Every structure is written in structure tokens, then in C-alpha cells.
Amino acid sequence: MKKIFDRSLFLLLTLSFLSCKESTTKENRSNGDQKIELMADGIKKTLDPAPLITTAYTNSHFMLSYLSEKDDIQFTISAYMQDLKPGSYQVYDCKSASECDDEKVPDNNQIALYGPYPKNPPPPVNLSRVAYYAPRLGLKPLTLVITSITDEQQLGNPFKTKRIKGQFNGSLAHVERQQGGYDYYVVGKTTPIDGNFEMFCTIHPN
């Protein structure tokens, strides 16, 4: 079976998040609480007291990441938004199983991914789940809702920052393409994801 996964985008997002990861020093903790609550399959996954959590806005994309080596978890969102503002956004991969139409559902290089912590060698791709727009497979995009954005500068951050609150929910899946064919199908069970966050968002110049 051909395994479907955009490794290059996954690596780009991971490196981007790690390059601007949130420090857990006492100084940064005192600069306003930051949090992300993550539920997968109805089970709270934010057990690590010091995960790597970060949000950033660059090149018309809002990016959020939760990485925990202790709990072996990676959760990342890259959501296209022309302007960073409150609202509801649909996030889905458009590289494989999604039923994308440039006129109705444009491909804006987005992704929502839940899976094991990135390692070397990388874990098998079938352990990760991705959000798709694929009605024929019963798959809907992950919904990201930004509820508020306020001007607030994070102490020690050389870039402009804003404080952002929001939430997300969706059902992520691993899909494969039939051998010798063009049809996709869902492998294994889907993973319901939901949660909320309140974070400093680093605004990177385009």
C-alpha cells in the first residue's frame, strides 16, 4: 500500500516550531500564563508539565504546535489566514485524499497533524493522523476558532507578539491509496481531537 504523508511539510513545520519554541524558564513563566489543553479520543493528553508549545504567524499562516517527548506526542496546526484575526477556519490537507477544488476549496498548504513525537528514525507514518476534506470518506476539516487577539509583548521575545485565545476540534485519520488504483480509504480508526489554548503568538515579518 502506498503511504500518504507530506514529509517535507511535516519537517518544515517541526523545524519552524522548534526554532522558536517556548522557553520554560522562570522568567518566561512569569510573563503571563500560557497553556494548551489537548484531548485525543476523549483522553486528556497534556500531562507533561513542560511541553514545547508555540504559536506563530508568518506568510499568511497561523501555526500552533504542541510537542512532548515525555508523552510521545506531536500536535501541529498550520492554518491559512490572509490576516490574523478572530474567526473560524477550516484546516485540512489537500495533497492526497481531500476532494479539493481550487474554486470552492482552495489548496492553501495547510495541515493539522497528530502523532508520535518526531524521532530519528521517524516513526511509521500510519501512527499519525491528518485532517482531510473528504466527504466521500466521511472526513471533515479540523475547525480552528480564534476567539480573541490582544496586543501584548512577550518578555525577551525579539519579535512582535500578540496574545491569542482559541479552540479547535475535528476528527483526524490515516489514509492510503489502493494499490494500483486511485481511490483512497481510511486505515484504522479516526482520532477525535479537541482542545483550547491561550498563547503568545510571535509575528514574523513576511
Side-chain angles (χ1 to χ4, degrees), residues 38-52:
L38 174 64
M39 301 280 289
D41 286 319
I43 301 172
K44 186 176 181 180
K45 296 296 183 178
T46 49
L47 303 179
D48 188 341
L52 304 179

Side-chain angles (χ1 to χ4, degrees), residues 7-201:
R7 288 183 179 272
S8 61
L9 179 57
F10 163 66
L11 180 60
L12 176 64
L13 287 171
T14 300
L15 292 176
S16 172
F17 293 136
L18 289 175
S19 70
C20 59
K21 66 185 180 182
E22 169 61 23
S23 172
T24 57
T25 64
K26 181 178 180 181
E27 178 184 47
N28 278 327
R29 284 200 303 268
S30 66
N31 189 29
D33 292 336
Q34 297 196 101
K35 68 174 184 177
I36 177 171
E37 295 182 352
L38 174 64
M39 301 280 289
D41 286 319
I43 301 172
K44 186 176 181 180
K45 296 296 183 178
T46 49
L47 303 179
D48 188 341
L52 304 179
I53 53 176
T54 184
T55 60
Y57 180 72
T58 182
N59 295 324
S60 298
H61 280 77
F62 171 77
M63 297 185 291
L64 177 150
S65 177
Y66 175 96
L67 293 169
S68 171
E69 185 174 11
K70 175 185 175 183
D71 295 330
D72 194 25
I73 290 172
Q74 172 187 218
F75 176 65
T76 58
I77 295 175
S78 173
Y80 174 80
M81 52 187 74
Q82 191 169 7
D83 299 301
L84 183 61
K85 60 184 180 181
S88 180
Y89 302 90
Q90 300 297 293
V91 185
Y92 50 88
D93 176 53
C94 216
K95 300 294 186 294
S96 52
S98 289
E99 300 162 38
C100 297
D101 184 317
D102 287 340
E103 295 182 0
K104 297 180 180 178
V105 186
D107 176 4
N108 287 313
N109 197 31
Q110 305 182 93
I111 194 168
L113 179 145
Y114 174 80
Y117 186 86
K119 309 176 186 68
N120 188 17
V125 295
N126 66 337
L127 298 181
S128 296
R129 300 289 183 266
V130 175
Y132 294 97
Y133 172 76
R136 284 178 291 184
L137 297 178
L139 301 177
K140 298 180 180 180
L142 177 137
T143 299
L144 168 69
V145 180
I146 295 180
T147 55
S148 72
I149 301 175
T150 55
D151 292 329
E152 187 174 344
Q153 185 60 39
Q154 183 183 26
L155 185 66
N157 192 327
F159 296 97
K160 179 181 178 181
T161 64
K162 293 180 181 291
R163 180 176 285 276
I164 295 186
K165 297 180 182 180
Q167 58 199 44
F168 49 83
N169 69 83
S171 186
L172 281 57
H174 173 66
V175 301
E176 294 184 3
R177 188 161 59 188
Q178 292 180 349
Q179 188 172 12
Y182 297 97
D183 292 332
Y184 293 95
Y185 63 100
V186 176
V187 179
K189 64 178 183 178
T190 58
T191 299
I193 294 288
D194 64 87
N196 59 79
F197 59 93
E198 180 178 352
M199 301 281 297
F200 282 106
C201 181

